[in-house]
Amino acid sequence: RFGRAARAAVTAWGLEVVAQNPLEYSGVLTAVMMPDGRGADAFRQVVLDRFDMSLGTGLGKLKDKIFRIGHLGDLNDLTLAGTLSGVEMGLALTGTRHKAGGVLAALETLASESLAPVS
């Protein structure tokens, strides 16, 4: 569920999820490809410096090309929303080409899958 919400945010931002085959999507993390000409390590550093939030790095041939959003462990809807907000603000701060609305897309996904009206 958190993975679906994170992927909804990435798609709304106009960025690419590294796993292109839905059968390979992870419930543990979402790896996001940075746009051409943008380094993931510099982006991750800005997010860490400004928001005290650590994003995962790319490994091997994906080093400095991707960042990873974790969504496993002590997590709930609000902490995921906060994480995605930090990513979206970091994208804006670094001038990374993206569309706004990723956090809203994630919230809509979370709400559609779990929130029933309170009676």
Side-chain angles (χ1 to χ4, degrees), residues 9-15 88 91 96-103:
V10 173
T11 300
W13 291 324
L15 300 178
E88 190 161 333
L91 292 169
T96 302
R97 184 181 28 108
H98 73 288
K99 299 174 190 167
V103 175

Side-chain angles (χ1 to χ4, degrees), residues 50-68:
R50 290 295 294 269
F51 307 118
D52 196 27
M53 184 176 80
S54 180
L55 295 166
T57 186
L59 304 172
K61 66 182 180 179
L62 295 178
K63 179 154 180 49
D64 201 32
K65 295 181 187 296
I66 70 164
F67 64 92
R68 296 177 294 143

Side-chain angles (χ1 to χ4, degrees), residues 2 10 16 21-22 27 30 42 48-49 52 59 64 71 90-91 109 119:
F2 293 145
V10 173
E16 181 182 336
N21 180 348
T30 296
L48 180 61
D49 292 345
D52 196 27
L59 304 172
D64 201 32
H71 37 77
L91 292 169
T109 298
S119 51

Side-chain angles (χ1 to χ4, degrees), residues 2 15 22 24 27 34 37 47 54 59 67-68 74 76 84-86:
F2 293 145
L15 300 178
E24 296 174 351
M34 289 294 285
V47 171
S54 180
L59 304 172
F67 64 92
R68 296 177 294 143
D74 186 16
N76 60 38
L84 297 173
S85 294

Side-chain angles (χ1 to χ4, degrees), residues 1-2 5-6 53 69-71 73-87 89 103-104 106-111 114-115:
R1 181 170 163 269
F2 293 145
M53 184 176 80
I69 303 168
H71 37 77
D74 186 16
L75 191 71
N76 60 38
D77 292 9
L78 295 179
T79 54
L80 180 62
T83 299
L84 297 173
S85 294
V87 171
M89 290 187 294
V103 175
L104 181 57
L107 292 175
E108 289 172 349
T109 298
L110 292 171
S114 69
L115 299 179

